[in-house]
């Protein structure tokens, strides 16, 4: 392991929680016309609270402004400047446009797809510490599964076309997505969590609930603790 993966005293270990998308580029729009950015921010704040309660006092919430692509490079630069030990990018899932159907919610036209659901975790082989990134992603997937959640299986299927990704673990729902800027350009181990589908009408309701956010944030906190504690136990204070 690289030295960054061994500096794991919780009070000093710096985790950056990247809130996916921006207020200007909101990401996907849910089945009930709520932006993905709103979902991402709510969940990231709850994860931040959980991690700080577990002693990870250096946890940082990363909020970025601006349009889509420009904001990607900006968030990478900020994470690198923060000298983070670990980055987790928080997102909520949608589907390719060809799977969307029309419906009306509270008098407004919207689009949905109830065909797919579930969380997924992504890593990039281009990350400078891919092995550590993969290990962290596996821990997140394992904890999501332990919480009774199912992962999104569609990314491994040919019907996804250019959105198809290699599935690295059939048990935990970890996929490889090499092109993601926020994963491959950061200098620390990094993973991206799609917490669930907000275009699926039933799952959107679950993702809107404090109970589901609590389940996911608890899972992430448990994954970070497991990622950290073996190193802390073996190495002791630096």
């Amino acid at each position: 392991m690289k030295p960054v993966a061994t500096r794991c005293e919780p009070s000093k270990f710096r985790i950056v929680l990247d809130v996916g998308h921006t207020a200007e580029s909101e990401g996907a729009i849910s089945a009930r016309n709520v932006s993905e950015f709103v979902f991402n921010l709510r969940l990231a704040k709850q994860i931040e609270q959980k991690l700080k309660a577990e002693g990870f006092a250096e946890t940082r919430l990363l909020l970025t402004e601006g349009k889509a692509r420009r904001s990607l490079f900006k968030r990478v630069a900020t994470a690198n400047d923060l000298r983070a030990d670990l980055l987790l990018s928080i997102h909520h899932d949608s589907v390719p446009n060809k799977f969307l159907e029309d419906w009306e919610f509270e008098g407004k036209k919207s689009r949905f797809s109830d065909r797919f659901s579930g969380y997924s975790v992504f890593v990039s082989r281009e990350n400078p510490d891919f092995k550590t990134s993969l290990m962290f992603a596996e821990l997140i997937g394992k904890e999501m599964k332990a919480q009774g959640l199912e992962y999104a299986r569609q990314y491994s299927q040919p019907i996804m076309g250019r959105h198809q990704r290699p599935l690295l673990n059939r048990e935990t729902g970890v996929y490889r997505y090499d092109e993601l800027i926020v994963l491959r350009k950061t200098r620390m181990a990094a993973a991206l969590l799609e917490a669930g589908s907000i275009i699926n009408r039933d799952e959107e309701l679950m993702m809107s609930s404090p109970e589901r956010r609590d389940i996911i944030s608890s899972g992430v906190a448990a994954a970070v603790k497991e990622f950290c504690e073996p190193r802390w136990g073996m190495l002791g204070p630096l």
Side-chain angles (χ1 to χ4, degrees):
M1 290 296 174
K2 293 188 176 182
V4 69
T6 63
R7 291 198 305 272
C8 217
E9 182 181 351
S11 63
K12 297 178 180 177
F13 192 73
R14 182 165 294 171
I15 305 149
V16 167
L17 299 173
D18 169 47
V19 180
H21 302 288
T22 69
E24 295 87 352
S25 294
E26 298 179 311
I29 301 299
S30 79
R32 292 171 176 82
N33 298 311
V34 179
S35 77
E36 180 190 350
F37 177 71
V38 170
F39 281 88
N40 296 345
L41 181 57
R42 282 190 307 210
L43 179 58
K45 284 182 175 179
Q46 195 150 344
I47 294 172
E48 179 191 26
Q49 290 172 0
K50 289 275 186 183
L51 286 170
K52 286 185 173 178
E54 293 289 351
F56 292 91
E58 288 293 307
T59 301
R60 296 285 188 271
L61 200 68
L62 177 54
L63 272 168
T64 313
E65 298 178 350
K67 296 296 182 181
R69 188 166 180 82
R70 191 181 304 167
S71 76
L72 291 175
F73 289 99
K74 191 185 292 184
R75 69 186 69 228
V76 165
T78 303
N80 289 337
D81 287 346
L82 284 170
R83 298 178 182 268
D85 298 299
L86 198 60
L87 179 137
L88 178 62
S89 190
I90 307 295
H91 288 257
H92 288 73
D93 220 350
S94 183
V95 296
N97 288 338
K98 65 181 179 180
F99 297 124
L100 292 173
E101 302 175 59
D102 295 325
W103 80 312
E104 199 171 276
F105 176 70
E106 294 184 343
K108 294 182 180 179
K109 291 182 179 179
S110 187
R111 307 183 85 190
F112 76 96
S113 176
D114 295 337
R115 186 172 177 180
F116 307 115
S117 63
Y119 75 88
S120 46
V121 194
F122 294 89
V123 290
S124 172
R125 189 173 47 185
E126 302 301 314
N127 182 278
D129 200 351
F130 171 63
K131 286 185 178 179
T132 306
S133 299
L134 178 59
M135 182 176 69
F136 179 51
E138 295 275 18
L139 289 171
I140 293 174
K142 188 186 79 169
E143 290 297 336
M144 295 298 109
K145 184 179 178 181
Q147 297 282 356
L149 303 180
E150 297 284 337
Y151 74 84
R153 300 176 187 273
Q154 70 268 20
Y155 286 107
S156 63
Q157 299 172 7
I159 56 169
M160 292 297 283
R162 65 185 179 87
H163 301 283
Q164 186 179 3
R165 306 292 169 210
L167 180 60
L168 301 181
N169 190 321
R170 294 181 181 276
E171 294 297 316
T172 56
V174 176
Y175 291 90
R176 201 185 84 216
Y177 192 171
D178 291 338
E179 296 76 22
L180 284 172
I181 291 171
V182 75
L183 298 184
R184 68 186 181 91
K185 291 291 187 180
T186 43
R187 296 191 196 118
M188 74 294 300
L192 184 147
L193 172 65
E194 295 278 4
S197 176
I198 55 171
I199 208 73
N200 179 305
R201 291 176 294 184
D202 289 339
E203 190 158 67
E204 180 195 8
L205 292 177
M206 295 177 195
M207 303 310 298
S208 300
S209 71
E211 293 80 12
R212 178 56 66 89
R213 289 197 296 275
D214 186 65
I215 286 171
I216 294 171
S217 58
S218 295
V220 171
V224 171
K225 283 180 69 180
E226 191 172 347
F227 178 88
C228 191
E229 284 174 352
R231 292 164 179 69
W232 179 234
M234 286 186 295
L235 295 164
L238 295 179

